[in-house]
């Protein structure tokens, strides 16, 4: 996890790193840190400030005997914003630095009359990351952090700053923050469109993110820079365009969108296959309701220290397939499942998506279900999903599923 501090009681991953570093400090008086400063190793280049983490971690490292740093970081200042860089530099020079004083000085000098709303803007982002119950270092955790209410609060502060900023330097500095916010707002809108299986608008927004990066890069070569662009906005745009083609007529058409919410039940002892939890008539009314657009660990399947449930989870969803789908080939598509899955439709086995390490995307499942579905009726879709890796951030199904009728390419 790259979101929390070494001593955060709700983050076992960072505490474990802290315990190892402290022990190294006890064993050797010449420890220096290969300081891996990425906030999101795989991101879509949204703003992820980390003052909260840095201001706690660097004094702890000094206390544990670390002598210094070899920092590795993105060159793109847009990924963390200026406050994180300034605070980290100050603390690496002197871990006793008055961080609040440094921040007061920065906001006053950089934003002038717009200092108060811009500080409120960054404080809101900082709080969202530091207090998140999500854990990980890839963009799959961001949907639980960039909530609609947070985005509304951020926009209100940016507008207030725009009204207050004096012409000249202050206004130009706020204008840059507006560019960073507009990028974040469009990322959230892209995720909202994906959630509704509106893939063409989502692809257009992803393509717009690359244009916004180019605009930032024209402001400075240290903005909108992609030294590690794996699974970035351009990759996402290509993936979403393919999904749009499959559902909007170019290579196929959408038959039905499965619900965002499923009934779900963990199966630590593998009872489900033998008790036939895939059967249509099973009473699942007491199963937990689970979103299929976020991993299960951020929906109640983790302990207070962030340790996610590992093992098998069953999902059950009902979906109405229109009668005009009769006679057409039909396929079930799940864009993102971590990391192995078995599928039944109306109680009959449809197929298996083999184990796939979560670091290698996409995590798609695509199965022919033509002989199993009943067009014009309610259909039962059941998935048995195994995840045995607890540090990815999104276990199970984390993007909404749909049924489509493939056509000629």
């Amino acid at each position: 996890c790259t979101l929390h501090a070494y001593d955060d009681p709700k983050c076992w991953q960072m505490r474990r790193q802290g315990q190892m570093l402290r022990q190294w400090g006890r064993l050797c008086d010449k420890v220096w840190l290969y300081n891996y400063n990425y906030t999101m190793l795989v991101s879509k280049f949204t703003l992820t400030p980390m003052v909260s983490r840095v201001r706690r971690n660097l004094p702890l490292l000094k206390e544990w005997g670390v002598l210094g740093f070899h920092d590795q970081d993105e060159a793109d200042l847009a990924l963390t914003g200026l406050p994180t860089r300034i605070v980290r530099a100050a603390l690496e020079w002197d871990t006793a630095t008055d961080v609040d004083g440094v921040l007061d000085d920065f906001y006053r000098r950089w934003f002038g009359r717009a200092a108060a709303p811009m500080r409120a803007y960054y404080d809101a982002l900082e709080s969202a990351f530091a207090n998140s119950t999500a854990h990980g270092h890839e963009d799959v955790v961001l949907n639980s952090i960039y909530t609609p209410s947070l985005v509304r609060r951020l926009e209100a502060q940016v507008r207030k700053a725009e009204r207050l900023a004096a012409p000249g330097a202050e206004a130009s500095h706020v204008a840059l923050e507006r560019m960073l916010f507009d990028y974040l707002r469009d990322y959230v809108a892209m995720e909202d469109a994906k959630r509704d299986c509106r893939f063409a608008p989502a692809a257009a927004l992803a393509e717009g993110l690359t244009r916004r990066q180019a605009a930032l890069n024209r402001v400075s070569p240290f903005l909108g820079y992609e030294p590690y662009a794996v699974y970035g906005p351009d990759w996402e745009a290509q993936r979403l365009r393919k999904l749009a083609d499959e559902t909007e007529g170019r290579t196929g058409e959408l038959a039905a969108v499965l619900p965002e919410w499923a009934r779900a039940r963990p199966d630590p002892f593998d009872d489900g296959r033998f008790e036939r939890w895939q059967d249509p008539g099973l009473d699942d009314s007491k199963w937990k309701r689970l979103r299929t657009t976020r991993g299960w660990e951020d929906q109640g399947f983790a302990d207070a220290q962030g340790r996610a449930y590992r093992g098998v989870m069953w999902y059950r969803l009902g979906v109405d397939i229109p009668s005009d789908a009769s006679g057409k080939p039909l396929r079930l598509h799940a864009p993102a499942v971590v990391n192995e899955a078995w599928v039944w439709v109306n109680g009959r086995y449809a197929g298996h998506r083999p184990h796939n390490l979560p670091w290698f995307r996409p995590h798609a499942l695509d199965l022919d279900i033509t002989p199993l579905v009943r067009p014009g009726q309610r259909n039962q879709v059941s998935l048995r999903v195994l995840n045995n890796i607890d540090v990815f951030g999104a276990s199970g199904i984390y993007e909404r599923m749909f049924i489509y009728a493939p056509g000629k390419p």
Side-chain angles (χ1 to χ4, degrees):
C1 180
T2 56
L3 308 183
H4 303 111
Y6 289 130
D7 60 348
D8 191 319
K10 66 180 181 295
C11 183
W12 73 269
Q13 296 183 41
M14 287 301 286
R15 284 203 341 277
R16 188 72 72 242
Q17 290 186 43
Q19 289 163 346
M20 289 189 287
L21 287 166
R22 180 182 294 187
Q23 183 63 8
W24 274 112
R26 294 183 182 121
L27 295 172
C28 179
D29 63 356
K30 297 176 177 61
V31 176
W32 61 276
L33 185 65
Y34 167 36
N35 208 21
Y36 203 59
N37 287 323
Y38 295 90
T39 54
M40 291 287 112
L41 177 61
V42 174
S43 77
K44 296 296 185 287
F45 307 108
T46 54
L47 185 61
T48 55
M50 288 289 152
V51 168
S52 295
R53 185 182 75 176
V54 167
R55 72 183 299 171
R56 184 58 188 153
N57 280 357
L58 291 178
L60 284 173
L61 293 172
K62 177 71 173 179
E63 177 185 326
W64 296 338
V66 172
L67 296 181
F69 309 90
H70 182 150
D71 283 351
Q72 177 174 327
D73 205 345
E74 296 275 22
D76 190 347
L77 298 174
L79 301 187
T80 58
L82 291 175
T84 299
R85 302 301 183 106
I86 289 168
V87 167
R88 189 169 67 217
L91 286 171
E92 286 189 351
W93 183 256
D94 179 4
T95 57
T97 293
D98 175 7
V99 172
D100 289 325
V102 169
L103 290 171
D104 288 342
D105 183 65
F106 163 72
Y107 284 107
R108 177 177 57 81
R109 290 174 180 268
W110 189 251
F111 293 113
R113 290 185 291 188
M118 286 314 308
R119 182 153 194 179
Y121 173 90
Y122 272 96
D123 284 349
L125 274 169
E126 287 283 348
S127 178
F129 278 91
N131 295 316
S132 175
T133 57
H135 304 273
H137 60 256
E138 299 203 9
D139 57 297
V140 295
V141 304
L142 293 177
N143 279 339
S144 63
I145 298 172
Y146 297 138
T147 62
S149 61
L150 175 63
V151 172
R152 288 194 295 271
R153 288 168 58 202
L154 296 177
E155 182 148 33
Q157 296 299 339
V158 171
R159 288 179 176 175
K160 189 181 296 185
E162 289 171 330
R163 291 194 299 270
L164 292 174
E170 287 180 22
S172 69
H173 296 164
V174 172
L176 175 59
E177 298 295 338
R178 162 59 77 174
M179 294 175 73
L180 299 181
F181 170 76
D182 287 349
Y183 187 100
L184 171 58
R185 181 201 60 212
D186 285 359
Y187 168 79
V188 172
M190 177 192 75
E191 291 295 308
D192 286 344
K194 281 168 53 179
R195 195 171 296 117
D196 294 334
C197 293
R198 295 182 291 112
F199 296 116
L205 286 161
E207 290 160 355
L209 294 181
T210 63
R211 292 192 293 273
R212 289 196 182 279
Q213 280 185 290
L216 284 164
N217 199 243
R218 288 193 292 272
V219 173
S220 166
F222 293 101
L223 299 169
Y225 177 61
E226 299 183 7
Y228 187 74
V230 63
Y231 307 133
D234 53 344
W235 176 88
E236 185 76 315
Q238 292 175 21
R239 184 177 76 103
L240 292 170
R241 280 294 172 202
K242 183 176 184 296
L243 294 176
D245 289 345
E246 291 175 346
T247 56
E248 299 188 20
R250 185 172 179 182
T251 60
E253 59 183 359
L254 184 67
V257 176
L258 275 72
E260 182 179 1
W261 290 90
R263 289 290 183 180
R265 180 177 174 180
D267 189 10
F269 303 109
D270 198 23
D271 295 322
R273 288 185 296 160
F274 304 97
E275 296 176 2
R276 295 201 58 81
W277 293 0
Q278 67 269 41
D279 283 352
L282 181 79
D283 181 7
D284 59 16
S285 60
K286 294 183 179 180
W287 289 25
K288 186 177 177 66
R289 293 180 74 238
L290 206 62
R291 288 184 188 272
T292 59
T293 50
R294 282 163 54 179
W296 71 54
E297 58 267 74
D298 196 37
Q299 300 186 70
F301 287 97
D303 67 14
Q305 299 180 37
R307 294 187 181 93
Y309 166 70
R310 289 192 293 178
V312 171
M313 181 77 72
W314 283 77
Y315 295 80
R316 287 171 54 87
L317 307 96
V319 59
D320 294 317
I321 298 179
S323 56
D324 61 10
S326 182
K328 298 177 181 177
L330 294 174
R331 299 188 71 87
L332 172 69
H333 190 91
V337 183
V338 172
N339 48 12
E340 187 171 6
W342 297 258
V343 179
W344 292 261
V345 176
N346 295 320
R348 297 166 63 192
Y349 184 60
H352 168 235
R353 206 294 308 282
H355 188 279
N356 184 29
L357 285 173
W359 325 118
F360 302 108
R361 302 193 201 177
H363 305 134
L365 175 157
D366 193 280
L367 294 173
D368 180 10
I369 59 172
T370 308
L372 309 178
V373 298
R374 296 193 292 262
Q377 299 181 43
R378 189 76 164 173
N379 289 257
Q380 176 71 43
V381 178
S382 302
L383 293 93
R384 175 181 181 267
V385 179
L386 167 67
N387 183 44
N388 51 17
I389 294 175
D390 59 2
V391 293
F392 177 63
S395 299
I397 303 168
Y398 70 89
E399 287 189 6
R400 196 161 177 183
M401 300 179 288
F402 59 90
I403 295 169
Y404 71 103
K408 293 182 179 179

